[in-house]
């Protein structure tokens, strides 16, 4: 049980780094939607999706490559040097090229040139801290990792309140004062990216000593090996970014221009209600990825991976049911503007999609350990093709509901394909019966409640209690062992 205890402890601490920023971001949704129109929030969501795509390109898969080589290399310092030097110079090149072509991208994307400049700065700074953050995870320093991540978000949050609330308030109260030098009307989207830029700069300054500790000597042979491992990860990451964020971009492009950004705003706001499954998935991924690599040499590794996956599905199934039962309570709390509630029907689909993505994260261990990362990239590319295809087919017919369906189909397809290939190249004895039961019963209860008894909380809570009783009965052996401990 010590292995599982360690995973749980690290997942809980890393969860702070994933949960608190996400929760704060979630808490900002009613604030954003109160001070921003649907269209402004839609524009912010579209640009943020583009940033997600570019962030994957700028890290070149080096984070995962770093973990792989850091754990198996005797000269760990050389691995740190190589990845840091590589990302430093690629980020510098991007900064030069991006700064010189900002007007072109602003015209192409139909957004202000100032936003392009802010985004370039954020992307470069985030790329420069990728390896320092990865080293904290590899060295199992989750407290430091979480503290810095949370600090970044707190700075961003404080500046968001300052720019969107206090500046307009001070401008109204003290007209023709020095406040006018900082306040610009209808500048809400730009203010959000300025806040992000300052927070990213603060994080980079914390990691400045990292750049003075390394030796600026690049090992070409090691660099080639790491690139060969990392580039497929990057390709897979690009495909993942398409799955995760291109729905907003395609909605903005495929819907009529007079409603596009408004519909993106509604979709993005209700998409946030899937936060709890996203948080669970991300916190788990942060804690489990180092474990996968560190434990790979043990003879019982496949059995441990199977057990971990089983418990992930157990917890995820309960979270899915709980969030869907209380989705309409959450919308009142966090998406207070009723004009956004039109998109509430996407919530069950988005939660299930993210659950499938979490299972896929577990299943993907086989290609990372077998150094078949290109296969993982192919799976992600397939998912991206599904995303693009279904969005193009369904958005003109169903609007944002088509995007939600596309996301679910893509993630579910990736999950199934990874399982089938994994059993061929790295067999893991997954408990298919219990995994299928937990997931299937949760999906059934969620569907029946949301589409037939929605907002009938007596039925919803009854369903949750029945599911807990089933888990207790099925896991009675584990519960007894825990009692004995």
């Amino acid at each position: 049980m010590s292995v599982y205890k360690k995973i749980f402890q690290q997942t809980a601490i890393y969860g702070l780094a994933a949960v608190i920023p996400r929760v704060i971001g979630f808490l900002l949704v009613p604030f954003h939607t109160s001070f921003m129109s649907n269209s402004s929030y839609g524009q912010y969501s579209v640009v943020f999706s583009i940033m997600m795509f570019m962030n994957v390109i700028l890290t070149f898969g080096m984070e995962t490559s770093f973990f792989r080589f850091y754990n198996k290399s005797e000269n760990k310092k050389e691995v740190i040097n190589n990845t840091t030097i590589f990302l430093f110079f690629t980020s510098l090149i991007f900064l030069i090229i991006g700064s010189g072509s900002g007007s072109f991208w602003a015209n192409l994307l139909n957004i202000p040139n100032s936003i392009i400049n802010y985004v370039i700065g954020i992307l470069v700074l985030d790329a420069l801290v990728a390896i320092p953050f990865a080293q904290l995870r590899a060295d199992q320093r989750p407290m430091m990792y979480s503290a810095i991540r949370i600090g970044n978000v707190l700075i961003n949050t404080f500046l968001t309140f300052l720019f969107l609330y206090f500046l307009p308030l001070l401008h109204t109260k003290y007209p023709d004062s020095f406040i006018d030098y900082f306040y610009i009307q209808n500048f809400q989207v730009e203010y959000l990216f300025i806040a992000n830029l300052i927070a990213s700069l603060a994080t980079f300054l914390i990691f400045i000593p990292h750049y003075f500790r390394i030796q600026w000597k690049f090992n070409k042979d090691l660099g080639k090996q790491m690139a060969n491992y990392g580039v497929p990860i990057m390709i897979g990451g690009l495909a993942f970014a398409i799955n995760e964020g291109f729905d907003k971009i395609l909605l903005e492009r495929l819907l009529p221009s007079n409603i596009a950004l408004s519909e993106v705003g509604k979709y993005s706001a209700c998409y946030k209600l899937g936060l709890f499954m996203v948080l669970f998935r991300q916190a788990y991924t942060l804690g489990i990825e180092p474990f996968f690599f560190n434990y790979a040499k043990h003879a019982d590794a496949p059995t441990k991976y199977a057990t971990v996956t089983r418990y992930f599905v157990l917890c995820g199934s309960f979270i899915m049911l709980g969030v869907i039962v209380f989705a309409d309570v959450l919308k009142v709390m966090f998406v207070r503007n009723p004009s956004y509630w039109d998109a509430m029907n996407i919530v069950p689909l988005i939660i299930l999609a993210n659950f499938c993505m979490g299972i896929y994260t577990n299943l993907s261990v086989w290609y990372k350990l077998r150094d078949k990362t290109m296969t993982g990239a192919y799976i992600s590319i397939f998912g991206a093709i599904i995303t693009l295809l279904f969005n193009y087919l369904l958005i003109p017919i169903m609007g944002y509901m088509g995007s939600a369906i596309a996301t679910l189909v893509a993630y579910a397809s990736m999950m199934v394909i990874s399982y089938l290939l994994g059993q061929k190249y790295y067999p893991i004895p997954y408990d298919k019966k219990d995994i299928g039961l937990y997931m299937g019963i949760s999906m059934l209860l969620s569907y029946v409640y949301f589409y037939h008894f929605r907002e009938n909380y007596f039925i919803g809570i009854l369903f949750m209690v029945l599911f807990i009783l089933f888990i207790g009965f099925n896991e009675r052996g584990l519960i007894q062992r825990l009692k004995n401990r």
Side-chain angles (χ1 to χ4, degrees):
M1 290 297 292
S2 61
V3 173
Y4 305 125
K5 182 179 179 182
K6 187 174 183 180
I7 295 172
F8 176 79
Q9 288 174 338
Q10 291 205 3
T11 299
I13 299 172
Y14 282 124
L16 293 174
V19 170
I20 293 179
R22 284 278 189 166
V23 168
I24 292 175
F26 194 38
L27 294 174
L28 286 174
V29 171
F31 184 75
H32 288 160
T33 52
S34 297
F35 289 89
M36 300 170 69
S37 65
N38 290 359
S39 297
S40 294
Y41 191 67
Q43 184 183 64
Y44 171 72
S45 300
V46 169
V47 176
F48 198 81
S49 297
I50 296 171
M51 286 178 62
M52 184 191 307
F53 191 80
M54 293 303 302
N55 187 57
V56 174
I57 295 176
L58 283 178
T59 53
F60 288 93
M62 281 295 163
E63 286 177 284
T64 303
S65 185
F66 172 86
F67 283 120
R68 179 59 170 166
F69 285 85
Y70 189 82
N71 281 288
K72 76 174 187 177
S73 175
E74 295 182 1
N75 192 345
K76 299 184 185 301
K77 185 70 175 177
E78 196 170 48
V79 175
I80 298 171
N81 294 339
N82 259 44
T83 46
T84 301
I85 292 169
F86 181 85
L87 289 185
F88 178 82
F89 283 103
T90 53
S91 298
L92 182 62
I93 292 169
F94 173 78
L95 177 63
I96 295 170
I97 295 174
S99 299
S101 59
S103 299
F104 168 78
W105 293 110
N107 292 330
L108 178 67
L109 300 172
N110 194 30
I111 58 178
N113 193 61
S114 58
I115 292 180
I116 294 292
N117 294 329
Y118 302 143
V119 166
I120 290 172
I122 294 166
L123 290 171
V124 169
L125 291 170
D126 287 351
L128 291 175
V129 300
I131 299 307
F133 269 126
Q135 187 179 352
L136 290 177
R137 291 172 60 195
D139 291 340
Q140 298 187 15
R141 298 176 63 191
M143 292 296 291
M144 178 65 72
Y145 178 95
S146 298
I148 298 173
R149 286 288 190 194
I150 293 168
N152 174 286
V153 174
L154 291 177
I155 293 172
N156 197 340
T157 302
F158 169 76
L159 293 173
T160 298
F161 275 99
L162 176 64
F163 292 145
L164 294 191
Y165 178 73
F166 288 107
L167 270 184
L169 183 65
L170 292 172
H171 170 74
T172 303
K173 192 172 183 179
Y174 304 104
D176 301 321
S177 67
F178 74 98
I179 297 298
D180 289 347
Y181 289 102
F182 303 98
Y183 176 70
I184 304 174
Q185 286 187 336
N186 300 319
F187 205 66
Q188 291 92 339
V189 177
E190 287 85 346
Y191 278 141
L192 291 179
F193 288 109
I194 292 173
N196 196 334
L197 177 62
I198 295 173
S200 294
L201 178 60
T203 302
F204 173 72
L205 292 176
I206 292 174
F207 284 120
I208 282 289
H210 172 87
Y211 284 87
F212 288 100
R213 286 194 298 265
I214 70 166
Q215 296 176 353
W216 292 82
K217 183 179 179 180
F218 191 78
N219 184 323
K220 292 182 181 179
D221 292 334
L222 178 61
K224 184 177 179 180
Q225 294 175 42
M226 296 186 75
N228 288 337
Y229 187 90
V231 168
I233 296 292
M234 181 192 71
I235 295 172
L238 288 173
F240 174 77
I242 290 175
N243 293 330
E244 192 80 2
F246 248 60
D247 47 359
K248 287 87 172 175
I249 298 171
L250 291 174
L251 277 169
E252 191 265 337
R253 295 288 176 175
L254 296 177
L255 290 176
S257 58
N258 60 319
I259 64 168
L261 285 176
S262 177
E263 294 294 280
V264 174
K266 295 176 186 178
Y267 176 75
S268 300
C270 290
Y271 196 103
K272 297 281 188 181
L273 294 179
L275 169 81
F276 299 97
M277 184 59 72
V278 175
L279 291 178
F280 174 60
R281 188 192 87 199
Q282 289 188 337
Y284 174 82
T285 300
L286 286 171
I288 204 64
E289 191 171 54
F291 165 75
F292 281 156
F293 288 115
N294 292 336
Y295 205 80
K297 296 178 183 178
H298 291 71
D300 64 339
T303 303
K304 286 289 191 292
Y305 297 156
T307 305
V308 167
T309 300
R310 180 168 175 264
Y311 292 141
F312 172 86
V313 174
L314 185 158
C315 296
S317 297
F318 181 74
I319 291 171
M320 177 170 66
L321 177 60
V323 174
I324 290 175
V325 166
F326 292 104
D328 287 290
V329 175
L330 295 172
K331 79 178 181 186
V332 176
M333 296 170 60
F334 298 109
V335 188
R336 296 174 185 171
N337 188 337
S339 67
Y340 288 87
W341 295 352
D342 295 344
M344 276 299 295
N345 280 341
I346 70 166
V347 173
L349 300 178
I350 296 303
I351 293 172
L352 179 57
N354 278 288
F355 189 20
C356 291
M357 192 64 208
I359 298 173
Y360 170 76
T361 300
N362 281 274
L363 301 176
S364 68
V365 61
W366 71 268
Y367 67 74
K368 293 178 181 178
L369 295 180
R370 293 300 190 198
D371 291 341
K372 292 183 176 292
T373 52
M374 199 63 215
T375 304
Y378 291 144
I379 296 173
S380 297
I381 290 170
F382 176 80
I385 292 171
I386 293 293
T387 295
L388 295 173
L389 178 63
F390 274 72
N391 270 290
Y392 272 109
L393 291 175
L394 298 180
I395 286 176
I397 303 171
M398 306 173 68
Y400 45 66
M401 196 66 181
S403 291
I405 293 172
T407 302
L408 174 57
V409 173
Y411 288 166
S413 299
M414 292 168 62
M415 176 184 70
V416 172
I417 293 171
S418 184
Y419 169 75
L420 295 175
L421 291 177
Q423 293 305 95
K424 179 179 179 181
Y425 293 104
Y426 189 87
I428 294 176
Y430 295 114
D431 190 339
K432 297 186 288 294
K433 178 184 175 182
D434 281 351
I435 287 174
L437 275 174
Y438 290 140
M439 195 171 179
I441 292 173
S442 177
M443 289 170 58
L444 177 63
L445 294 176
S446 297
Y447 172 82
V448 171
Y449 172 79
F450 194 83
Y451 294 105
H452 296 283
F453 296 98
R454 186 172 168 185
E455 295 191 78
N456 185 333
Y457 297 109
F458 174 80
I459 297 294
I461 294 172
L462 176 63
F463 282 179
M464 293 179 67
V465 170
L466 290 174
F467 190 58
I468 291 173
L469 291 175
F470 172 75
I471 291 173
F473 175 78
N474 206 48
E475 298 292 337
R476 58 192 181 278
L478 171 65
I479 294 171
Q480 187 59 50
R481 289 196 299 272
L482 291 175
K483 285 181 178 180
N484 292 338
R485 285 174 61 85

